[in-house]
Amino acid sequence: LANPAKAIELIRRLLPHRFVNRSLTGRRSAQPGGRMARSSSNPDLVAAGEARTEMGPCMGPELQAVTEKFWRTELVLSKAVAPEGPSAWEVLIRRAVSGTSQGTSDPYADLVAGPQKDKAVALVEELMHELEAWSMELQRHSAEDWNECINVLVQCISSGGGEKSRSSSEFSI
């Protein structure tokens, strides 16, 4: 979520139905019914502008909405974190890992008390609730691919980034 461009291909392969193909046809007008005129251009570009331009898959509206919600939450959270405290990203990770169970450390302990903290906590909880639904969709849409992906992530985390022996099955999506 912090940088969707880095994970877009993985997300697209795990949730292909959450992406749409975009294409542009013909010239685009600045105003309805109006026609844009080129002041100067290479003649080949003018001809190319009339053709249909295919663009790759883009995140669908629901995926765009959750990404925007993450960015808004991270921004508000970064304003609520104490200057010497952890980053907003670290607070989000702590909350995702600890959940809401009793007996775990408070993921919000490093936030400065006040209205900004209350707003940040509310946004984080709302985001976590929405991410829970996305998690279920990921797990159910392609369970085998999801399990293999998680297996690779766990191996990376548990090895501390070092090289780990390969499992008996190849990871492919």
Side-chain angles (χ1 to χ4, degrees):
L1 286 173
N3 188 348
K6 288 185 176 180
I8 199 82
E9 187 60 27
L10 176 62
I11 296 169
R12 189 183 67 78
R13 289 183 181 270
L14 291 172
L15 295 173
H17 61 285
R18 292 296 188 168
F19 286 78
V20 294
N21 285 320
R22 304 276 176 142
S23 64
L24 301 174
T25 307
R27 290 186 181 179
R28 305 207 21 122
S29 298
Q31 297 176 348
R35 187 163 170 93
M36 289 178 60
R38 297 177 192 258
S39 59
S40 65
S41 182
N42 181 331
D44 292 337
L45 293 177
V46 174
E50 297 294 335
R52 180 181 176 114
T53 304
E54 292 292 328
M55 297 171 65
C58 299
M59 291 189 297
E62 296 89 359
L63 200 49
Q64 286 179 13
V66 75
T67 302
E68 289 170 13
K69 182 179 280 189
F70 167 78
W71 289 335
R72 279 191 310 272
T73 302
E74 187 178 38
L75 178 64
V76 171
L77 190 56
S78 68
K79 293 176 182 177
V81 174
E84 67 283 347
S87 68
W89 177 253
E90 289 175 276
V91 174
L92 285 169
I93 295 299
R94 286 180 190 170
R95 169 52 185 88
V97 171
S98 71
T100 57
S101 61
Q102 299 292 345
T104 60
S105 63
D106 180 11
Y108 306 117
D110 293 309
L111 301 184
V112 177
Q116 196 70 17
K117 176 180 180 176
D118 297 339
K119 183 178 180 181
V121 169
L123 286 172
V124 169
E125 292 304 316
E126 184 181 318
L127 177 67
M128 291 298 146
H129 181 71
E130 187 165 341
L131 289 177
E132 196 173 329
W134 282 94
S135 174
M136 297 298 283
E137 182 174 343
L138 276 168
Q139 293 171 43
R140 291 181 177 154
H141 179 71
S142 184
E144 188 173 317
D145 289 341
W146 175 248
N147 288 337
E148 285 295 320
C149 180
I150 292 301
N151 184 31
V152 169
L153 291 174
V154 168
Q155 286 179 13
C156 290
I157 291 169
S158 64
S159 69
E163 192 156 334
K164 189 88 169 168
S165 63
R166 295 178 80 89
S167 64
S168 60
S169 64
E170 285 290 316
F171 172 68
S172 64
I173 299 178

